[in-house]
Amino acid sequence: MLETAILAAFLAFCRIGACFLFLPGLGSARVPAQVRLFVAVGASLALLAHLWEAIVPHVSRQPQTMLVLIGSELLIGALIGLVARFYVLALQFIGAAMAMMMGYGMAGGGVAVEENEPQPEVATLISFSALLLLFVFDFHHAIIQALVASYRLAPVDALFNPQSALVDLSDTLSAAFFVMIRLGSPFVAYAILVNLAIGFINKLTPQIPIYFISLPFVIAGGLMLLYFGIGTFLRLFADGFFPTTIGG
């Protein structure tokens, strides 16, 4: 009985731990690996009581069978985590594009919230605010509910389906980027109009370096647009998370 419980707990940890590895926020480079490990172990042990009947009947003492189940559980958990992470990666993409359109493209880059890579400060602020808003709205609870429901939709003995996983990932990626393009459309229109006006002025007065003169005004206009639109931007981002990822 003890051996069966240990194997069942390890199978639960494979799916839940793989999901937490890619989950936005918990899977961030800012969170130490020990913290992520302990959170995954704690969540696995807490959910094992609810998932006992879904996992224990499929536990086997055959090494070959257990290796196949472990690999399948790791891939299923990674799929659930990647679906949520793609939505945040799309936000980082549109945040960097918005910073470039506002005139911060050549500014000194900060550090991204999720990754150890340079990112404009405006994009970092947008990413951090959106991620904080998701935690305020308890998105991690919804992910845990999705993990519990995944044992009904994708049982342990059903194994991982690569074709279905690729379809889910491609649909999520497409829907996430469509949402982000719509959210960043005011800044796209602002960049087109401003650069068009600057180009016309530069043609009229080629002796004056219009680009360097106009850069502070471009940044000021972009900051004003961000000030008046950031509330709606974050609200629409949070509203689109569940339908695009686990709710879709």
Side-chain angles (χ1 to χ4, degrees), residues 135-153:
F135 274 100
V136 169
F137 287 157
D138 294 334
F139 94 102
H140 49 294
H141 295 171
I143 294 296
I144 293 176
Q145 292 177 359
L147 281 170
V148 175
S150 68
Y151 283 92
R152 184 181 68 255
L153 301 175

Side-chain angles (χ1 to χ4, degrees), residues 95-114:
M98 288 165 54
M100 182 181 64
M101 296 170 190
M102 292 167 54
Y104 282 94
M106 299 180 63
V111 181
V113 177
E114 288 288 316

Side-chain angles (χ1 to χ4, degrees), residues 191-208:
I192 293 174
L193 294 176
V194 167
N195 286 284
L196 187 62
I198 293 173
F200 284 147
I201 297 173
N202 191 29
K203 287 294 183 180
L204 294 175
T205 56
Q207 296 82 6
I208 303 176

Side-chain angles (χ1 to χ4, degrees), residues 111-219:
V111 181
V113 177
E114 288 288 316
E115 307 292 341
N116 288 322
E117 59 183 15
Q119 191 179 32
E121 287 82 355
V122 175
T124 303
L125 177 63
I126 294 173
S127 302
F128 180 77
S129 303
L131 193 60
L132 178 61
L133 190 63
L134 289 181
F135 274 100
V136 169
F137 287 157
D138 294 334
F139 94 102
H140 49 294
H141 295 171
I143 294 296
I144 293 176
Q145 292 177 359
L147 281 170
V148 175
S150 68
Y151 283 92
R152 184 181 68 255
L153 301 175
V156 176
D157 59 340
L159 301 182
F160 179 74
N161 188 350
Q163 182 179 3
S164 177
L166 287 176
V167 171
D168 291 339
L169 289 177
S170 60
D171 290 346
T172 302
L173 193 62
S174 175
F177 273 90
F178 272 121
V179 170
M180 296 307 158
I181 290 297
R182 288 196 294 267
L183 292 181
S185 57
F187 294 89
V188 175
Y190 170 76
I192 293 174
L193 294 176
V194 167
N195 286 284
L196 187 62
I198 293 173
F200 284 147
I201 297 173
N202 191 29
K203 287 294 183 180
L204 294 175
T205 56
Q207 296 82 6
I208 303 176
I210 298 297
Y211 176 78
F212 297 100
I213 297 175
S214 63
L215 186 58
F217 299 97
V218 174
I219 295 176

Side-chain angles (χ1 to χ4, degrees), residues 31-73:
V31 180
Q34 295 86 348
V35 174
R36 282 182 279 176
L37 177 62
F38 288 139
V39 170
V41 171
S44 303
L45 295 178
L47 294 176
L48 183 60
H50 301 280
L51 304 173
W52 183 265
E53 296 181 357
I55 298 178
V56 171
H58 308 292
V59 173
S60 174
R61 295 187 179 182
Q62 299 296 326
Q64 298 84 356
T65 305
M66 285 301 298
L67 285 176
V68 172
L69 292 179
I70 289 171
S72 175
E73 292 297 290

